[in-house]
């Protein structure tokens, strides 16, 4: 109903409507699997079962976009899957408020990612087709680093466009970035930082930690600090400290390592280490 297309039940690539039928089957299977995984306590992440869940949800959302549906679709698909599964698994209906909150937030975040990076990827694909039909590892890394575009999505969309991605080079650049981040973290731990600006901000109002209830938070950026000094702006490549009104990131304390992740806003992306 969302796409306006009818399932034909085709089984062969020669049958009419085969590609759309495959996409509809992907949506049905992946939405059901995602629903049950979240119901079992899994949340989207970049590791383990959380990564599998994220891949399933993103493939379903991508399939819907290829069917012509660009607006959020999970608020329609998840309730339909809940109703189909609730007879055998009543806890799915009982816990649907939590399940839907996690699913809908993941879709919104993924749609923002697609919106921000698709144009850049399309340009890279166009350029690749004029040469060796390979999107460079540098381009894939830039998509990941600047736009938060996951490599699995870059690989999938590139394949659909008929080109390849230099994944080996991408992995090498990712490894270099991790090594730099680890070196920076060690250097920071060994330095005596000026904490006066942070103390002043904390005296005014402490950040609210939301990580016990959610892994994604929409918040306001209160301050940017470079070398301990409060600054109005920062440029690409700067190492900064930031203060947020609310944050899901747990700071290093009590022997527990600090959380890592990404902060995205209008026209910027910050990697949190």
């Amino acid at each position: 109903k969302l796409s306006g297309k009818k399932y034909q039940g085709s089984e062969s690539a020669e049958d009419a409507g085969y590609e759309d039928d495959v996409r509809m089957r992907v949506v049905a299977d992946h939405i059901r699997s995602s629903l049950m995984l979240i119901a079992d306590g899994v949340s989207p992440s970049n590791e383990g079962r959380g990564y599998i869940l994220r891949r399933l949800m993103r493939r379903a959302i991508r399939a819907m976009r290829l069917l012509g549906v660009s607006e959020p679709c999970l608020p329609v698909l998840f309730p339909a899957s809940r109703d189909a599964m609730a007879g055998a698994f009543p806890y799915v209906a009982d816990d649907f408020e939590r399940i839907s909150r996690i699913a809908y937030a993941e879709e919104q975040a993924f749609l923002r990612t697609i919106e921000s990076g698709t144009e850049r990827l399309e340009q890279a694909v166009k350029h690749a087709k004029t040469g060796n039909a390979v999107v460079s590892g540098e381009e894939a890394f830039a998509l990941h680093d600047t736009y938060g575009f996951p490599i699995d999505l870059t690989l999938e969309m590139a394949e659909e466009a008929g080109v390849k991605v230099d994944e080996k080079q991408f992995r090498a650049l990712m490894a270099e970035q991790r090594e730099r981040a680890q070196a920076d973290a060690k250097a920071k731990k060994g330095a005596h930082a000026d904490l006066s600006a942070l103390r002043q901000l904390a005296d005014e109002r402490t950040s609210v930690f939301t990580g016990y209830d959610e892994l994604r938070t929409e918040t306001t950026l209160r301050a940017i600090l470079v070398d301990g000094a409060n600054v109005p702006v920062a440029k690409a490549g700067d190492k900064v400290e930031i203060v947020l009104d609310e944050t899901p990131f747990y700071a290093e304390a009590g022997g527990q390592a600090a959380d890592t992740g990404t902060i995205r806003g209008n026209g910027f992306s910050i990697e949190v280490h």
Side-chain angles (χ1 to χ4, degrees):
K1 290 182 179 180
L2 285 172
S3 67
K5 298 182 179 181
K6 186 177 180 181
Y7 182 68
Q8 304 291 330
S10 59
E11 296 182 359
S12 169
E14 288 74 31
D15 294 340
Y18 175 75
E19 288 188 356
D20 285 346
D21 279 2
V22 169
R23 289 163 185 156
M24 291 182 197
R25 288 195 285 267
V26 165
V27 170
D29 176 81
H30 288 16
I31 291 297
R32 180 178 64 249
S33 299
S34 299
L35 174 77
M36 299 308 297
L37 280 168
I38 299 174
D40 286 342
V42 182
S43 292
S45 72
N46 292 326
E47 296 180 348
R49 294 196 302 164
Y51 180 64
I52 294 172
L53 171 61
R54 174 163 283 168
R55 287 290 304 274
L56 288 170
M57 294 181 69
R58 287 178 170 181
R59 283 202 70 199
I61 295 165
R62 276 274 297 145
M64 289 299 293
R65 287 178 71 87
L66 292 172
L67 287 167
V69 181
S70 57
E71 67 270 14
C73 57
L74 296 193
V76 175
L77 297 176
F78 258 64
S81 187
R82 172 202 61 196
D83 295 344
M85 303 299 291
F89 304 97
Y91 63 88
V92 170
D94 296 340
D95 198 22
F96 191 70
E97 191 280 329
R98 180 190 66 85
I99 294 170
S100 62
R101 186 176 69 249
I102 293 171
Y104 301 165
E106 179 69 12
E107 179 177 34
Q108 290 289 352
F110 184 48
L111 290 177
R112 288 194 295 269
T113 295
I114 291 177
E115 190 69 27
S116 64
T118 295
E119 183 178 354
R120 174 72 179 264
L121 178 56
E122 288 174 348
Q123 292 173 354
V125 167
K126 185 178 179 179
H127 178 73
K129 287 183 175 180
T130 65
N132 59 357
V134 177
V135 174
S136 70
E138 291 102 328
E139 194 67 50
F141 179 78
L143 279 162
H144 177 276
D145 196 48
T146 304
Y147 298 96
F149 222 65
I151 184 60
D152 54 278
L153 181 60
T154 298
L155 292 169
E156 185 175 329
M157 293 179 69
E159 183 179 8
E160 290 169 0
V163 301
K164 296 182 179 181
V165 177
D166 189 343
E167 190 175 356
K168 183 178 180 180
Q169 186 183 38
F170 168 81
R171 301 293 179 191
L173 290 169
M174 286 293 294
E176 289 176 12
Q177 184 188 57
R178 283 193 295 271
E179 290 171 3
R180 287 195 300 269
Q182 291 168 358
D184 289 344
K186 289 179 180 178
K188 185 176 178 181
K189 285 182 178 180
H192 297 285
D194 181 1
L195 301 178
S196 57
L198 280 173
R199 290 195 188 98
Q200 182 179 347
L201 288 163
D203 289 341
E204 293 172 1
R205 184 173 72 256
T206 58
S207 299
V208 177
F209 179 63
T210 63
Y212 293 125
D213 301 313
E214 58 188 7
L215 298 178
R216 297 174 179 270
T217 297
E218 186 171 327
T219 186
T220 300
L221 180 63
R222 287 179 56 200
I224 306 171
L225 294 93
V226 177
D227 295 330
N230 203 331
V231 298
V233 295
K235 64 182 184 296
D238 281 350
K239 298 178 180 64
V240 302
E241 296 174 284
I242 62 170
V243 179
L244 304 171
D245 273 343
E246 300 88 17
T247 177
F249 292 101
Y250 184 85
E252 184 175 0
Q256 180 171 330
D259 287 335
T260 61
T262 306
I263 298 172
R264 297 191 185 95
N266 186 15
F268 72 89
S269 177
I270 303 171
E271 292 296 323
V272 179
H273 302 288

